[in-house]
Amino acid sequence: MLLDAATDITAFADFPAAHWKKIWSTNPLERLNREIKRRADVVQVFPNPAALDRLAAAVLAELHDEWQVFDRRYLSEASIAGLSTTKPAEREPQITPQSESKQLP
């Protein structure tokens, strides 16, 4: 299973090493989930699932607007701009499964 998913698992390596830590991190997603939970706790009872969907959509829209306006960014514009100017990396050798006939010492 891991060998089949090797390209997905190592996809972060296509980005500059300075971005790796932020790509691995789930902090922005966790922060967003906490904000939705905080606002849902204020309401406490939703009349239907669509009401909860509207609240979550409003939080997402607000966050999107903040990202558009504020200078504070998770990945800076300069580091993102560097992605389009870098040359493509050389093709790395593919990971191949070892035969099961080999025994470990």
Side-chain angles (χ1 to χ4, degrees):
M1 179 176 73
L2 290 176
L3 291 173
D4 291 340
T7 56
D8 293 333
I9 293 170
T10 59
F12 70 91
D14 291 338
F15 292 89
H19 289 193
W20 290 3
K21 187 174 181 181
K22 291 186 176 185
I23 292 172
W24 285 331
S25 175
T26 58
N27 289 344
L29 181 59
E30 291 171 7
R31 188 176 309 121
L32 179 61
N33 286 337
R34 279 194 308 269
E35 180 63 18
I36 292 171
K37 183 179 184 322
R38 183 184 71 79
R39 295 204 188 171
D41 286 346
V42 170
V43 176
Q44 291 185 351
V45 178
F46 290 92
N48 54 37
L52 177 58
D53 291 344
R54 284 191 299 274
L55 175 70
V59 172
L60 292 171
E62 181 181 328
L63 182 63
H64 179 270
D65 291 344
E66 288 178 9
W67 284 353
Q68 294 296 317
V69 175
F70 294 121
D71 291 333
R72 188 176 141 216
R73 302 192 181 226
Y74 196 64
L75 294 170
S76 70
E77 285 185 47
S79 67
I80 295 296
L83 293 176
S84 62
T85 60
T86 58
K87 64 179 183 177
E90 293 180 16
R91 185 176 171 97
E92 295 182 18
Q94 295 291 324
I95 299 173
T96 57
Q98 296 178 353
S99 70
E100 294 181 18
S101 62
K102 294 181 182 179
Q103 298 293 327
L104 294 176

